[in-house]
Amino acid sequence: MSAVRGAKPTAPRLRTFENPEALARGVAQWLLGAVQARGGTCAVCLSGGSTPRRLYEVLTVPPVVTRFPWDDVHWFWGDERFVAPDHPDSNFRMVDEALLSVAPVPRENIHPIPTEDLSLADAAAAYEKVLKDFYGEDRLDPERPLFDVTLLGLGEDGHTASLFPGSPALADTERWVRGVEPPGLEPRITLTYPALDSSRIVAFLVAGARKREVLARALAGDPELPAARVHPVGDIVWFADRAAAPS
Ligand code: 6PG
């Protein structure tokens, strides 16, 4: 169950779907299977951005909504924009509108990244405490991943979560959560590699022709790309639509 950082992973698993709708429906079925396979308390780390929104919506309608073990699943975020939870750029707001306010999700199972009444650094520290309290230890054990499923996206520059090229957060091997201030973007809070790598399975969702070149590089393990440096203790699967998938 372990992959050495920087080691060339085996050929990545890529599953391609005809279009974004088929991608959302295919991944919804896959996610249902993954959480059912846990057969009990399960932690899912959510991706922000625009690509996963349709997936979140598909989880709230039949056939998935009636078969999904909502009481067992706890929801976390891989990153957040440092804005209010009702701000249009909020990843919490996106997931709440698409999924959490629609499906029968116990409120106590929802663990958003705090963004109010705290400094960026204090908010990151507060979320690290949320993760450690849920995990029950201060040190990550490779044999007991923090997350069962981690959903991640891929930016055109190769970023994932809010781990951007050139960011000092890329080298952080201690903290689980950090505040980052990407040039030209609002400040953000992101999980670091140690936390993201503590996953039974990482699933990347990638859609659209503008992602084709960067997806090909990520699948080839280009170390320039932060997304290509995610090496979970478990597995990785890439889900893409035909427009993004390498021909
Ligand atoms: C965010 C995400 C980020 C996202 C990529 C891809 O908060 O924006 O976590 O990593 O996944 O930027 O975004 P799109 O899906 O919108 O292309």
Side-chain angles (χ1 to χ4, degrees):
M1 264 247 277
S2 61
V4 180
R5 171 157 308 296
K8 190 138 186 19
T10 51
R13 275 192 299 146
L14 171 64
R15 288 187 55 188
T16 303
F17 295 86
E18 197 50 41
N19 52 48
E21 182 63 18
L23 174 69
R25 292 181 179 282
V27 178
Q29 285 295 336
W30 172 84
L31 182 59
L32 173 62
V35 295
Q36 284 177 328
R38 291 301 302 147
T41 300
C42 185
V44 174
C45 183
L46 298 161
S47 173
S50 58
T51 304
R53 185 182 189 118
R54 185 68 190 126
L55 159 65
Y56 301 149
E57 291 169 350
V58 169
L59 295 175
T60 70
V61 293
V64 175
V65 69
T66 48
R67 299 172 53 213
F68 203 88
W70 298 105
D71 293 346
D72 293 340
V73 179
H74 285 254
W75 306 94
F76 298 88
W77 276 253
D79 73 323
E80 183 60 280
R81 293 86 180 271
F82 202 54
V83 294
D86 60 358
H87 187 283
D89 291 350
S90 165
N91 283 337
F92 169 77
R93 175 176 167 176
M94 182 272 284
V95 180
D96 192 42
E97 287 173 353
L99 170 62
L100 303 173
S101 62
V102 185
V105 179
R107 301 322 285 181
E108 64 273 19
N109 287 20
I110 302 173
H111 310 278
I113 296 177
T115 58
E116 296 186 295
D117 312 322
L118 291 168
S119 70
L120 188 66
D122 289 348
Y127 201 56
E128 182 157 325
K129 185 174 182 319
V130 167
L131 295 177
K132 287 180 174 175
D133 289 350
F134 179 82
Y135 188 63
E137 299 280 345
D138 284 352
R139 296 200 66 73
L140 292 163
D141 171 356
E143 299 307 317
R144 188 171 70 87
L146 168 61
F147 301 121
D148 297 286
V149 176
T150 293
L151 303 175
L152 288 173
L154 177 66
E156 287 177 49
D157 62 357
H159 79 263
T160 193
S162 284
L163 295 172
F164 288 86
S167 167
L170 301 177
D172 199 322
T173 56
E174 287 308 313
R175 281 180 279 188
W176 300 13
V177 188
R178 279 186 68 134
V180 293
E181 301 183 72
L185 290 172
E186 76 265 287
R188 292 162 173 234
I189 292 180
T190 188
L191 270 57
T192 58
Y193 285 129
L196 294 172
D197 284 348
S198 186
S199 301
R200 224 168 272 289
I201 187 156
V202 166
F204 281 93
L205 272 71
V206 187
R210 63 187 172 80
K211 299 281 180 74
R212 174 169 285 200
E213 189 257 335
V214 70
L215 176 55
R217 289 175 59 197
L219 292 169
D222 181 344
E224 294 299 309
L225 308 182
R229 294 166 56 187
V230 175
H231 294 303
V233 294
D235 297 322
I236 289 188
V237 59
W238 293 78
F239 294 109
D241 69 353
R242 197 160 297 292
S247 41

